[in-house]
Amino acid sequence: MAVILDGKAVSERRLELLREAIDESGLSPRLATVLVGDDPASALYVRMKHQACERVHIGSINVTLPADATTARVVETVRRLNADPEINGILVQLPLPAGVDEEAVIEAVSPAKDVDGFHPCNLGRLFSGRPRYTPCTPAGIMTLLAEYGIDLAGRRAVVVGRSIDVGRPIAALLLNADATVTICHSRTKDLASVTREADIVVAAVGKPRFITAEMIGEGAVVVDVGTNRVEGRLLGDVDFDSVRERAAAITPVPGGVGPMTIATLMENTFAAARRQACGPAP
Ligand code: GUN
């Protein structure tokens, strides 16, 4: 039976340590969030981020724009926050409404304040092996694996999903940690034959209970990034009950990766405040 990788407990500990570090730093980090439209799930995530800010003594503001805001208006909001010396980190909650050009908005965020790590500059740095701001979910997964002493060097990691917020950056992080990495996606042939060979499987597909026990090798570490809402319940991408019988370790949903994402956002925001206080990074 698998060890449960308790992201909730690890994130609580890290938030406590972060609050102490922020209090001792003499800095007053500040995060700005931008929420466009009235999607209830996005509004909930933004609220959770502001609650975490309060806990660790990071100041926060939120700018809400209507669902019919133009790309130009969202970009203009982001530029104003870029220019505001009181703001250290900027997070535009995704997904944006269909009419807004998401790529243009992501690229409008100053790379120095991009605590989400989605700007091509920051993704490029990550892929070149010299990360600055790393997307919060993948970075949180790496922290969780490290906290449980899970060794990655030389191990076979299979990432299922190729999004810019999870699949691609977690592949880069695993590669930077000397794992042998395979990225699978919707066009991969015979997915199960690939995932069965993996020492570590990261599931970021967005389909409830998609990864079943037959797809997992005995003793693998399974990381579930799924947050699928089904009839009011939150379900992961992994069929937890069957997979936990085969795996050596597994993240639950909820209480696994999710809390690590928020803790990492707080850490990235403090890192941004420290860098900005020290002048431009080398
Ligand atoms: N929507 C879902 N996950 C994320 C995330 O990590 N950052 C942002 N900005 N929006 C998201």
Side-chain angles (χ1 to χ4, degrees):
M1 188 74 95
V3 170
I4 306 295
L5 303 175
D6 187 345
K8 179 105 182 89
V10 170
S11 72
E12 295 283 329
R13 278 204 304 276
R14 289 187 73 90
L15 287 172
E16 286 301 307
L17 292 173
L18 182 64
R19 183 173 46 76
E20 286 168 24
I22 289 173
D23 288 349
E24 282 166 16
S25 72
L27 296 171
S28 308
R30 278 169 73 82
L31 174 70
T33 58
V34 179
L35 176 63
V36 187
D38 38 28
D39 176 58
S42 287
L44 173 67
Y45 288 136
V46 166
R47 272 202 306 280
M48 286 164 69
K49 288 165 188 176
H50 286 271
Q51 280 165 5
C53 281
E54 229 171 88
R55 257 189 81 178
V56 299
H57 301 167
I58 289 178
S60 66
I61 62 159
N62 177 57
V63 181
T64 303
L65 296 174
D68 63 356
T70 59
T71 301
R73 183 161 175 209
V74 184
V75 165
E76 159 58 25
T77 301
V78 167
R79 292 213 175 114
R80 193 166 44 75
L81 296 167
N82 285 343
D84 183 342
E86 298 290 311
I87 297 296
N88 304 111
I90 301 168
L91 177 142
V92 181
Q93 186 65 30
L94 303 178
L96 290 168
V100 180
D101 180 347
E102 204 157 275
E103 219 167 289
V105 172
I106 288 172
E107 292 191 24
V109 176
S110 161
K113 295 188 177 184
D114 174 33
V115 287
D116 245 340
F118 294 161
H119 192 287
C121 271
N122 284 315
L123 287 173
R125 292 192 71 104
L126 173 61
F127 272 84
S128 66
R130 297 178 302 119
R132 184 154 296 159
Y133 296 110
T134 304
C136 301
T137 297
I141 292 169
M142 296 302 281
T143 304
L144 188 59
L145 296 176
E147 289 266 354
Y148 279 88
I150 292 168
D151 220 8
L152 299 169
R155 303 192 69 194
R156 288 164 300 184
V158 171
V159 177
V160 190
R162 54 177 157 174
S163 65
I164 68 148
D165 57 334
V166 184
R168 289 168 199 245
I170 189 66
L173 283 166
L174 291 163
L175 180 63
N176 292 349
D178 298 323
T180 301
V181 182
T182 304
I183 306 179
C184 298
H185 47 78
S186 51
R187 304 294 290 268
T188 298
K189 294 210 164 63
D190 195 4
L191 177 64
S193 72
V194 184
T195 54
R196 261 198 304 269
E197 296 300 313
D199 300 308
I200 296 135
V201 175
V202 179
V205 255
K207 292 185 187 154
R209 295 181 176 147
F210 180 76
I211 303 285
T212 55
E214 306 78 63
M215 300 170 78
I216 297 296
E218 197 76 46
V221 173
V222 180
V223 177
D224 189 349
V225 189
T227 52
N228 308 290
R229 266 170 217 288
V230 181
E231 292 163 6
R233 275 184 72 197
L234 195 63
L235 292 182
D237 289 347
V238 175
D239 182 27
F240 183 85
D241 292 337
S242 69
V243 170
R244 74 184 299 198
E245 306 284 335
R246 288 183 75 84
I250 185 168
T251 63
V253 177
V257 172
M260 295 302 300
T261 299
I262 294 190
T264 307
L265 174 65
M266 299 299 110
E267 290 170 350
N268 280 358
T269 304
F270 182 41
R274 271 185 315 196
R275 272 198 197 104
Q276 287 157 29
C278 299

